[in-house]
Amino acid sequence: MMAATRIPGLTLAELGDGEIVRVELIGVADAASGDPVTEATLFEAASLSKPVFATIVLRLAERGEIDLDRPLAEDLVNERLDDPRSDRLTARMVLSHRTGLPNWGGDRLELAFDPGTAFNYSGEGYVYLQRVVEHRTGLSLDEVARREIFDPLGMERSRFAWSEAESEALALAVPHDRAGRPQEKRQPLDGGNAAASLHTTAAEYAVFVRSWMGWGEPLLAPETRRAALSAPYPMEGTETATPKPPEVWRRIAWKQGWGFQLPRGGEMEATLGSGSATGAVRAVRVWHWGDNGPAKAFVGFDPVEGDGLVYFANSANGLAIGRALVAPVVGSMEPTFAWAGYEAHDAPGFGERLEGLVAAGDQRWDDAVEAFEAALEADPEDEVTARWVKWLRDIERVEAEPVVIAGETLESYAGTYGPRRLWVDDGRLHYQRGEGQVYELVPLTERLFALEGLASFRLEMVVDGAGRPIGLVGHYVEGQTDESPRDV
């Protein structure tokens, strides 16, 4: 499966009856050097960071050092929020993604709904709560994690952050793009990120999962763990990153750092698992996925039977094999992967789509079109693949016959649009989002642009009735969009 998906390296740990029964170290940590994955290799946990941080907060709450229902603003105001409703944000809302905050935002943040009323997955919420925890404890994220989680469980290699001087001594898995090419290894900045910067091994993360199952060193009191694994909040349709059928929405829920896959139909069984170490509801799978771009991760476990699996991959394709890895251990988690929007490695046309993505990344447009057309033959209903074909043909068209836009029109487009910025240099329009990469824009029409070298994204200019630019809309080949109004 790794060969078919161009995953260079992977580590996994399997749990059975509450014990770690298997640890695997497969492939290479760096495709360029050929260095193998070893027991010391640290992988990016990405969003598997969140359950660890949530456990820190629950431990602090047990000791009365944090009140889960106290407004965070009473400790620390989030200067990026200018909304009176933000005064209602609490730790309990953050841990279950019910703040209304976006996943990630720019200099200013906006609430999508009244806090506590719905679901929206948010890394920003976790970072806000991280700042509150650091403020209250006087410790950095990594220091408090070591005190509350790593040291009690013997997770000696795990860390949220480290100094540049320490980097040389660490065996870090290098992330790889979809083509299997090594990418720059990112150093956690500003003391780490509670939502995304944990680096660990599968063996050590399995020890953490084992504690949540109720075996091994207990991090939480039984009643705390029981409450956290019971009656999760159902999805309420506020996240729209990928299309999902109603059956998927009914079977996914969240609570205090974890995602939950509910029984078919979405109902929770009334009887708690008798004789289980956790007292959790039967037929529920607890899980989390991690996606840091060219690094992926997944954990899924049965809190009653004590079976589970965690794995980390140093590849953008890492979640394509998640269904196949997890199912033999805890049963099918298809609705979970469908909700998260990741395609299976054995889905019709997957191999052809991967070849198309690799060719598009290399700007081999003819090869990319051919591969995506083959994928479309295998799966004619795939709207994303059909969109790839159209977008790539558009690029070929304008390369043959460039669209020319008047200089004064380009100058009128220049400006700041929230986190996005446009400017004209040498007669060409350029684009940058935040501190990200700078792209030259390629006109497809007078108001629609492709990014030079990036075929999966387009930028559309929004104008008012008088033709004045008032905003930008980003179009992603997967189908989602996001809008940025022009700054006044």
Side-chain angles (χ1 to χ4, degrees):
M1 290 190 296
M2 290 171 63
T5 52
R6 302 190 181 214
I7 297 173
L10 179 144
T11 180
L12 68 81
E14 179 183 343
L15 297 107
D17 296 325
E19 301 293 338
I20 299 173
V21 297
R22 174 188 176 201
V23 175
E24 296 282 358
L25 307 165
I26 311 172
V28 297
D30 182 353
S33 68
D35 292 339
V37 173
T38 73
E39 62 180 9
T41 304
L42 291 177
F43 283 78
E44 293 187 43
S47 285
L48 267 63
S49 305
K50 293 181 176 74
V52 174
F53 179 69
T55 309
I56 293 170
V57 175
L58 293 177
R59 280 171 62 88
L60 295 175
E62 283 187 338
R63 299 199 300 265
E65 297 180 33
I66 279 184
D67 183 338
L68 296 180
D69 298 306
R70 176 182 176 179
L72 301 180
E74 293 184 12
D75 285 297
L76 198 66
V77 173
N78 191 329
E79 300 294 344
R80 297 162 64 203
L81 272 167
D82 185 20
D83 187 323
R85 296 178 298 174
S86 67
D87 292 342
R88 293 184 241 156
L89 298 179
T90 67
R92 192 183 303 277
M93 294 175 191
V94 167
L95 298 184
S96 300
H97 299 288
R98 297 173 66 80
T99 60
L101 288 165
N103 189 16
W104 299 112
D107 293 337
R108 307 302 300 174
L109 301 176
E110 295 184 3
L111 298 179
F113 47 77
D114 288 342
T117 63
F119 172 93
N120 196 59
Y121 187 81
S122 175
E124 291 285 0
Y126 271 70
V127 172
Y128 182 19
L129 181 54
Q130 171 190 341
R131 302 306 178 209
V132 172
V133 167
E134 291 173 331
H135 174 76
R136 290 189 68 83
T137 63
L139 300 173
S140 70
L141 170 63
D142 196 64
E143 289 170 339
V144 74
R146 190 150 304 283
R147 185 187 75 181
E148 300 294 335
I149 308 292
F150 302 155
D151 286 348
L153 295 183
M155 298 170 66
E156 297 178 356
R157 295 189 174 95
S158 301
R159 60 201 67 214
F160 273 95
W162 58 86
S163 67
E164 289 189 17
E166 293 177 285
S167 293
E168 294 298 323
L170 296 177
L172 301 174
V174 173
H176 297 75
D177 67 11
R178 300 205 71 169
R181 294 172 293 221
Q183 303 297 292
E184 182 180 358
K185 188 69 191 75
R186 296 160 292 193
Q187 172 86 15
L189 302 175
D190 301 323
N193 184 307
S197 75
L198 175 65
H199 283 61
T200 187
T201 69
E204 290 197 353
Y205 203 92
V207 173
F208 169 72
V209 173
R210 188 168 179 259
S211 176
W212 264 95
M213 291 176 170
W215 283 268
E217 180 70 25
L219 290 175
L220 300 170
E223 57 270 21
T224 301
R225 190 172 64 250
R226 179 188 177 99
L229 294 177
S230 300
Y233 301 105
M235 299 294 296
E236 299 187 33
T238 54
E239 182 170 286
T240 57
T242 56
K244 308 169 186 72
E247 169 68 6
V248 170
W249 287 110
R250 284 194 294 267
R251 297 189 62 189
I252 302 298
W254 287 84
K255 191 174 184 183
Q256 294 184 352
W258 292 108
F260 292 75
Q261 179 177 291
L262 307 181
R264 189 171 299 279
E267 73 283 353
M268 296 286 286
E269 294 185 13
T271 304
L272 297 180
S274 58
S276 74
T278 63
V281 179
R282 287 194 180 277
V284 170
R285 300 295 179 265
V286 183
W287 61 275
H288 214 293
W289 91 112
D291 185 344
N292 272 1
K296 298 289 197 290
F298 190 84
V299 59
F301 63 93
D302 180 334
V304 174
E305 301 299 331
D307 301 328
L309 185 136
V310 56
Y311 80 93
F312 303 103
N314 59 350
S315 167
N317 303 319
L319 285 168
I321 64 175
R323 292 169 172 85
L325 289 179
V326 176
V329 180
V330 297
S332 172
M333 297 197 69
E334 175 59 37
T336 289
F337 283 96
W339 177 86
Y342 294 97
E343 185 179 28
H345 76 286
D346 56 356
F350 177 89
E352 293 83 353
R353 275 186 291 276
L354 181 55
E355 291 305 314
L357 289 167
V358 172
D362 294 336
Q363 300 184 48
R364 294 183 284 111
W365 308 131
D366 288 344
D367 292 341
V369 169
E370 182 179 349
F372 281 118
E373 285 180 336
L376 203 55
E377 289 182 10
D379 186 5
E381 303 301 318
D382 186 350
E383 296 179 358
V384 174
T385 298
R387 194 176 297 115
W388 265 113
V389 172
K390 179 183 183 305
W391 284 23
L392 290 167
R393 286 176 173 164
D394 284 346
I395 291 174
E396 291 182 318
R397 169 179 56 80
V398 297
E399 284 189 348
E401 299 181 16
V403 174
V404 179
I405 300 177
E408 57 269 23
T409 301
L410 292 179
E411 291 289 351
S412 73
Y413 292 165
T416 303
Y417 301 76
R420 293 173 161 135
R421 185 167 66 95
L422 298 179
W423 70 96
V424 178
D425 183 22
D426 196 24
R428 304 296 297 270
L429 198 60
H430 292 73
Y431 166 77
Q432 183 180 33
R433 179 164 188 158
E435 300 298 321
Q437 183 175 341
V438 174
Y439 290 94
E440 186 175 296
L441 295 185
V442 179
L444 300 173
T445 69
E446 188 167 85
R447 295 177 186 165
L448 185 65
F449 299 84
L451 276 60
E452 181 71 41
L454 183 65
S456 60
F457 180 77
R458 290 179 168 186
L459 205 61
E460 180 184 6
M461 183 64 58
V462 180
V463 300
D464 62 15
R468 293 184 294 263
I470 59 173
L472 292 174
V473 177
H475 295 270
Y476 300 82
V477 73
E478 291 83 5
Q480 66 268 40
T481 62
D482 59 2
E483 187 170 354
S484 301
R486 183 167 188 157
D487 293 359
V488 177

